[in-house]
């Protein structure tokens, strides 16, 4: 028995020793992370012509970037955020760090930070959150020519694709802005664009250059189906979607822009698929406000042909009072009506322009649907600018409040416009561009 007990003890000691030895000789997790960081940084830096980058905030939109990393922890970038970021390069620092997973940090203020800036004055984002974007990203998947990352805080999607020499030169020459101009020209001439499926369903397809999103809207039987995807301008002539739009025989991941003829073609499962144009609206406007068209932009400094006398009277009264309330030279170029169908909210954003600076005065209306009509109810001004201008803006507010509105297409101009008419207040009718 003693020999048996001694054998058990000896066996346990050997086992414990073996475990400790194996643990000691095994590869430590922090060593693996360190090796991964070295490998990922080498991949980033070794891309001779940099990276095409596509950033998609978790709550919508999309933004194209060009990134060129060097071995001194510096990165140079361009972005399609606006004209300045598309033509002027920005250099900042970056670093790779691992806590639980390898991560890429843009650690000095850059174009990445613009999208996440909590100050709404920067890009008119949400106070405290900006565009719900990120500047710290965790590596998700890495290959020789593509890197997929996800934001640490807001879960933005960031995809890097290795650029070639021609693409790198195009970014440096301001091609991101050129792509936006082509898309703008396309929108001016494309009346009611759509993609046709093999079963004959027409999928209304619209590029919204304000929200940086592509919308696909169609009737599946009697049910209205909607897919809205952020997009990023990319490379020589591409619009890259956050994910593929899939329906029937459609599998659209990107669009190709015609730089010389201002056309747009869908790439459907790797094949070119022309976007067709209908002479008449495919879907009623009241069904797709806040879905395919997010806003109506109404000029305020001048009367639009076709607008009603009551609206113009109230518009003039607002301008007179607003000019006396603010500094000389202040103008009020447009009123943007922004629809949120999920919350059933209409945000009326009166733009204030002083010199080269634009400011927003936001007025909140809730609404309910009465058949095809929007019944509006005024709730409150939002933030300081709206409070300052509220008395001056009252003629417009009263024109909206408790009105039954019909929104229809206005087809009298080349660019598609919309009219909004209060059926409870004769002559309160405005016309604006659809975005």
């Amino acid at each position: 028995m003693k020999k048996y007990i001694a054998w058990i003890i000896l066996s346990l000691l050997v086992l414990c020793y073996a475990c400790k030895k194996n643990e000691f000789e095994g590869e430590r997790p922090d060593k693996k992370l360190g090796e991964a960081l070295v490998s990922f940084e080498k991949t980033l830096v070794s891309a001779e012509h940099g990276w095409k980058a596509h950033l998609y905030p978790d709550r919508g939109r999309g933004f194209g970037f060009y990134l060129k990393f060097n071995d001194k922890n510096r990165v140079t970038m361009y972005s399609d955020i606006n004209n300045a970021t598309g033509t002027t390069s920005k250099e900042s620092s970056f670093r790779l760090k691992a806590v639980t997973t390898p991560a890429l940090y843009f650690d000095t203020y850059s174009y990445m930070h613009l999208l996440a800036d909590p100050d709404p004055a920067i890009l008119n984002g949400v106070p405290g959150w900006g565009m719900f974007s990120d500047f710290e990203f965790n590596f998700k998947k890495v290959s020789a020519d593509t890197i997929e990352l996800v934001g640490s805080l807001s879960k933005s999607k960031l995809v890097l694709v290795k650029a070639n020499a021609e693409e790198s030169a195009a970014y440096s020459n301001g091609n991101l802005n050129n792509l936006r101009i082509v898309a703008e020209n396309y929108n001016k001439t494309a009346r009611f664009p759509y993609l046709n499926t093999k079963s004959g369903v027409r999928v209304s397809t619209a590029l919204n250059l304000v929200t940086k999103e592509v919308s696909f809207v169609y009737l599946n039987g009697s049910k209205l189906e909607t897919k809205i995807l952020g997009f990023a301008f990319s490379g020589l002539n591409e619009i890259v979607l956050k994910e593929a739009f899939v329906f029937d025989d459609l599998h659209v991941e990107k669009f190709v822009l015609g730089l010389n003829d201002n056309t747009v073609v869908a790439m459907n499962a790797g094949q070119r698929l022309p976007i067709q144009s209908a002479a008449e609206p495919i879907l009623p406007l009241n069904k797709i406000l806040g879905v395919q068209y997010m806003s109506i932009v109404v000029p305020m400094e001048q009367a639009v042909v076709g607008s009603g006398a009551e609206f113009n009277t109230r518009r003039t009264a607002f301008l007179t009072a607003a000019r006396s309330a603010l500094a000389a030279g202040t103008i009020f170029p447009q009123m943007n009506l922004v629809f949120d169908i999920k919350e059933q909210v209409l945000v009326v954003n009166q733009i204030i322009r002083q010199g080269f600076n634009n400011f927003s005065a936001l007025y909140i209306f809730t609404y309910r649907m009465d058949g095809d009509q929007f019944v509006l109810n005024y709730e409150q001004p939002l933030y300081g600018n709206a409070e300052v201008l509220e008395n001056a803006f009252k003629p417009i507010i009263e024109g909206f409040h408790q009105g039954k509105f019909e929104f229809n297409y206005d087809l009298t101009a080349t660019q598609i416009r919309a009219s909004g008419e209060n059926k409870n207040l004769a002559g309160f009718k405005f016309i604006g561009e659809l975005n």
Side-chain angles (χ1 to χ4, degrees):
M1 178 64 72
K2 289 182 179 179
K3 289 183 178 179
Y4 179 69
I5 295 173
W7 180 82
I8 293 176
I9 294 172
L10 179 61
S11 298
L12 290 172
L13 289 172
V14 171
L15 181 61
C16 290
Y17 175 75
C19 289
K20 290 181 179 178
K21 184 177 181 181
N22 288 340
E23 182 182 354
F24 178 77
E25 290 181 348
E27 197 168 11
R28 295 172 60 89
D30 57 345
K31 182 181 178 183
K32 288 185 177 181
L33 282 174
E35 290 174 349
L37 288 178
V38 172
S39 174
F40 294 167
E41 183 168 4
K42 183 178 179 181
T43 301
L44 289 172
V45 171
S46 64
E48 180 183 0
H49 304 295
W51 300 87
K52 298 179 291 184
H54 314 133
L55 175 62
Y56 306 99
D58 188 55
R59 299 198 183 187
R61 298 177 179 263
F63 299 92
F65 283 79
Y66 172 75
L67 304 174
K68 183 70 169 69
F69 300 89
N70 68 23
D71 58 5
K72 301 293 191 294
N73 291 105
R74 306 294 291 177
V75 57
T76 301
M77 64 180 68
Y78 293 91
S79 176
D80 66 5
I81 297 171
N82 54 43
N83 287 336
T85 62
T87 55
T88 304
S89 64
K90 176 75 173 179
E91 183 180 291
S92 63
S93 63
F94 77 94
R95 61 190 169 97
L96 275 69
K97 183 179 178 181
V99 180
T100 56
T101 60
L104 170 62
Y105 287 61
F106 296 89
D107 58 356
T108 55
Y109 201 89
S110 67
Y111 293 154
M112 287 281 179
H113 293 77
L114 284 177
L115 300 174
D117 199 302
D119 184 354
I122 300 300
L123 287 178
N124 205 26
V126 176
W129 287 96
M131 299 291 183
F132 294 94
S133 190
D134 290 278
F135 47 84
E136 298 176 0
F137 299 89
N138 297 315
F139 285 89
K140 187 176 178 182
K141 185 178 180 180
V142 179
S143 65
D145 59 1
T146 304
I147 300 174
E148 297 179 18
L149 305 100
V150 60
S152 300
L153 177 62
S154 295
K155 307 306 178 186
S156 301
K157 177 181 179 181
L158 177 62
V159 180
L160 310 185
V161 179
K162 193 173 288 186
N164 60 36
E166 187 179 9
E167 290 168 332
S168 176
Y171 281 110
S172 298
N173 291 327
N175 194 52
L176 285 174
N177 288 353
N178 187 42
L179 297 184
R180 185 189 298 108
I181 291 170
V182 172
E184 288 173 348
N185 290 337
Y186 167 78
N187 276 351
K188 290 176 182 177
T189 56
R191 294 290 280 176
F192 298 101
Y194 68 94
L195 295 171
N196 214 18
T197 73
K198 65 180 180 181
S199 58
V201 177
R202 295 193 300 179
V203 179
S204 181
T205 307
L207 290 171
N208 191 314
L209 300 178
V210 176
T211 64
K212 294 295 297 298
E213 292 172 324
V214 181
S215 58
F216 302 90
V217 185
Y218 57 97
L219 285 173
N220 190 0
S222 60
K223 183 180 179 182
L224 188 72
E225 300 281 3
T226 302
K227 185 71 172 180
I228 299 176
L229 297 169
F231 73 80
F233 290 114
S234 178
L236 299 178
N237 60 352
E238 293 184 344
I239 292 175
V240 181
L241 307 186
K242 181 179 182 180
E243 60 190 63
F245 168 68
V246 180
F247 170 66
D248 203 351
D249 63 327
L250 298 181
H251 191 279
V252 179
E253 295 181 338
K254 63 183 178 182
F255 296 90
V256 175
L257 298 168
L259 303 184
N260 297 320
D261 57 7
N262 297 318
T263 59
V264 179
V265 174
M267 294 303 296
N268 185 48
Q271 302 296 316
R272 296 172 69 90
L273 178 65
I275 300 177
Q276 301 184 54
S277 185
E280 298 294 330
I282 297 172
L283 297 164
L285 183 58
N286 66 293
K287 299 292 187 185
I288 58 176
L289 279 175
V291 176
Q292 188 150 50
Y293 296 111
M294 307 306 293
S295 66
I296 301 173
V297 181
V298 181
M300 294 295 280
E301 287 284 350
Q302 65 278 342
V304 177
V305 175
S307 55
E310 181 66 25
F311 174 76
N312 283 327
T313 297
R314 290 171 179 265
R315 179 183 59 82
T316 301
F318 155 66
L319 291 173
T320 301
R323 287 168 183 159
S324 65
L326 298 182
T330 302
I331 62 173
F332 307 87
Q334 64 194 47
M335 174 180 68
N336 301 338
L337 278 62
V338 183
F339 296 83
D340 184 338
I341 61 170
K342 291 181 180 179
E343 302 297 331
Q344 288 200 297
V345 167
L346 170 65
V347 179
V348 177
N349 179 9
Q350 175 58 53
I351 302 300
I352 306 164
R353 182 172 297 163
Q354 294 179 329
F356 294 104
N357 298 314
N358 285 339
F359 305 94
S360 293
L362 305 175
Y363 301 92
I364 309 301
F365 294 79
T366 55
Y367 68 83
R368 61 179 176 83
M369 298 302 297
D370 183 359
D372 291 335
Q373 296 179 334
F374 291 67
V375 183
L376 303 178
N377 189 71
Y378 180 57
E379 298 294 339
Q380 64 183 59
L382 196 62
Y383 311 130
N385 291 337
E387 293 172 350
V388 170
L389 273 187
E390 187 175 24
N391 283 336
F393 202 63
K394 190 169 290 186
I396 303 296
I397 292 173
E398 291 174 346
F400 281 112
H401 180 60
Q402 295 186 350
K404 283 190 174 183
F405 274 82
E406 287 186 357
F407 293 98
N408 293 297
Y409 295 102
D410 179 88
L411 303 179
T412 60
T414 302
Q415 190 166 2
I416 299 172
R417 302 186 304 178
S419 66
E421 184 174 4
N422 186 346
K423 292 300 183 178
N424 290 348
L425 181 60
F428 193 85
K429 177 184 178 182
F430 51 82
I431 293 175
E433 292 182 1
L434 282 165
N435 282 316

